[in-house]
Amino acid sequence: MAMQENKSALEVEPRDEAKIKKIWKTAGILLLLTLVEFVFAFTLPRGILLYAIFIALTIWKAKYIMMEFMHLGDEAKPLFYSIIVPLIFLVWLVIALMREGSDIFLLRW
Amino acid sequence: MSTSATAIGVSPKRGVWGGGNEPLKASYGKLMMWFFLLSDIFTFAALLITYISIRVSFPVYAGPVESFVGSNEYWPVPELVFDAIPFIHGVHIPLAFVGLMTFILIMSSVTMVLAVEAGHRNDKNDVVKWLLWTLLGGITFLSCQAWEWSHFIHGTDGGSVITYVNNLGRVVTEAVYGANLSVNEYGPAAFAQLFFFITGFHGFHVTLGVFLLFLCFYQAAVGVYEKRGHYEMVEKIGLYWHFVDLVWVFVFTLFYLI
């Protein structure tokens, strides 16, 4: 019933500077990773290696957004796994459709 | 979240079966937002993986950058297609504009987290301030996308000579400017189709997000959440907004970098 006392008077708590600093730090990391992608796009030769680097950096960024911005890491473990584990199916989909695409390529050209 | 104000337990009238308990220590609304986002992840993933699949079924342009011409025989190099920025006509400035769009969306995600953080502290003024910044970022991003689409549809001055089957069913070879769903000056028809569909679907999500943000901003400003006793709605809409940013990170890599 502690919540009901809370209801009548909402007290404004002071800013937690450490928390806010962490948010800006995450923002800096995200922008830095994007900048690195840009630099690589114009300096490295196109090919599997470059694409692999891009995908890795993208997933790294996705991790920061989900863990720091969406606070998925702070949720209960079962919730965390119920969101992350189903994504395994996507690995299969990527492999299957890339196989399919390259087979179409071989048939067509 | 270890905060004093959450939606859980606010209404003692809701029993265990009415959402009054805490499955997975998250409120009903937050839990359902997460599961909606999971289903949306699958939708976007299916679209993006389709893009990859169709892309690997075409040869890639392998010649020197200077002599690139659009053709439906091979997939174009993105930095040679997306090289325009507003107000500067006919200059090759690759990827600068999408870089700006990415920056805007990431920054609006940051201001959204700050709004959520302010909501945990019941700080109405900060919530309103950061939501307004987020709203501004969202609208700016949408405006940029509108320009990007308009440029993509109208095309360059030179266009490209493309051999294709026109809508009368004849094979024609002619200069094509810009893009539509059946032919475009940049690459295979599927290139423009996927561009329209995927960035359009993402833009639709951003538009919805802007509406939700406006609603949230208004309700926070007039004190609806203060009366309710918690700012959880900011958190839920925040989850959605971060998801939109998350999808853009992948769209950006697949469409503009690879």
Side-chain angles (χ1 to χ4, degrees), chain B residues 176-191:
Chain B
V176 171
Y177 300 94
N180 56 46
L181 286 175
S182 53
V183 67
N184 68 80
E185 66 163 272
Y186 313 106
F191 174 68

Side-chain angles (χ1 to χ4, degrees), chain A residues 36-46 50, chain B residues 79:
Chain A
V36 168
E37 283 183 328
F38 257 89
V39 172
F40 283 176
F42 294 114
T43 51
L44 292 181
R46 301 198 146 265
L50 181 63
Chain B
E79 62 191 65

Side-chain angles (χ1 to χ4, degrees), chain A residues 40-105:
Chain A
F40 283 176
F42 294 114
T43 51
L44 292 181
R46 301 198 146 265
I48 295 296
L49 177 67
L50 181 63
Y51 297 161
I53 292 172
F54 281 154
I55 302 275
L57 285 174
T58 305
I59 292 172
W60 199 7
K61 278 200 282 186
K63 191 207 114 193
Y64 269 107
I65 293 175
M66 287 187 89
M67 300 307 269
E68 300 295 333
F69 284 180
M70 298 168 95
H71 301 295
L72 187 57
D74 302 338
E75 301 290 356
K77 280 288 157 234
L79 176 55
F80 174 78
Y81 286 117
S82 68
I83 300 298
I84 295 300
V85 171
L87 300 181
I88 288 173
F89 289 113
L90 295 179
V91 177
W92 169 80
L93 192 62
V94 170
I95 295 169
L97 282 189
M98 279 186 76
R99 246 335 269 283
E100 189 72 21
S102 44
D103 281 357
I104 293 172
F105 174 82

Side-chain angles (χ1 to χ4, degrees), chain B residues 1-240:
Chain B
M1 303 302 314
S2 56
T3 45
S4 53
T6 61
I8 301 162
V10 164
S11 165
K13 273 182 279 178
R14 290 196 288 181
V16 171
W17 294 99
N21 57 346
E22 321 176 5
L24 309 180
K25 292 199 182 70
S27 74
Y28 174 80
K30 224 164 105 181
L31 207 55
M32 290 305 123
M33 181 52 94
W34 265 115
F35 289 136
F36 162 69
L37 291 184
L38 182 63
S39 74
D40 228 16
I41 288 174
F42 280 121
T43 312
F44 271 109
L47 288 171
L48 288 170
I49 295 169
T50 304
Y51 176 85
I52 298 173
S53 173
I54 293 180
R55 200 203 149 129
V56 296
S57 75
F58 278 95
V60 180
Y61 174 75
V65 169
E66 312 82 61
S67 52
F68 174 78
V69 276
S71 162
N72 50 11
E73 297 278 305
Y74 46 78
W75 207 261
V77 178
E79 62 191 65
L80 302 174
V81 173
F82 304 104
D83 64 346
I85 50 176
F87 310 117
I88 304 175
H89 186 78
V91 184
H92 176 69
I93 308 168
L95 301 183
F97 191 56
V98 279
L100 180 69
M101 284 166 70
T102 307
F103 175 74
I104 291 168
L105 206 58
I106 288 179
M107 285 318 285
S108 84
S109 216
V110 174
T111 55
M112 188 76 230
V113 196
L114 290 168
V116 172
E117 193 272 337
H120 286 152
R121 296 186 288 105
N122 301 323
D123 190 336
K124 182 178 153 186
N125 291 339
D126 267 17
V127 169
V128 169
K129 177 180 83 179
W130 290 120
L131 278 180
L132 196 59
W133 277 109
T134 312
L135 200 54
L136 195 72
I139 292 170
T140 315
F141 179 84
L142 278 180
S143 316
C144 289
Q145 207 173 31
W147 185 88
E148 172 102 338
W149 267 51
S150 156
H151 180 80
F152 191 81
I153 291 168
H154 291 114
T156 57
D157 293 335
S160 304
V161 177
I162 306 271
T163 303
Y164 68 103
V165 181
N166 68 6
N167 43 18
L168 299 172
R170 290 211 187 85
V171 177
V172 291
T173 302
E174 60 181 23
V176 171
Y177 300 94
N180 56 46
L181 286 175
S182 53
V183 67
N184 68 80
E185 66 163 272
Y186 313 106
F191 174 68
Q193 288 162 358
L194 288 162
F195 177 83
F196 286 133
F197 201 90
I198 296 176
T199 63
F201 196 51
H202 176 263
F204 169 68
H205 275 75
V206 180
T207 313
L208 268 184
V210 166
F211 279 123
L212 290 174
L213 278 174
F214 181 76
L215 198 74
C216 193
F217 163 72
Y218 175 79
Q219 291 195 325
V222 300
V224 172
Y225 302 139
E226 204 166 30
K227 220 178 282 169
R228 197 178 284 172
H230 58 85
Y231 281 80
E232 211 207 30
M233 191 53 81
V234 182
E235 210 172 312
K236 282 182 275 193
I237 292 174
L239 281 178
Y240 179 79

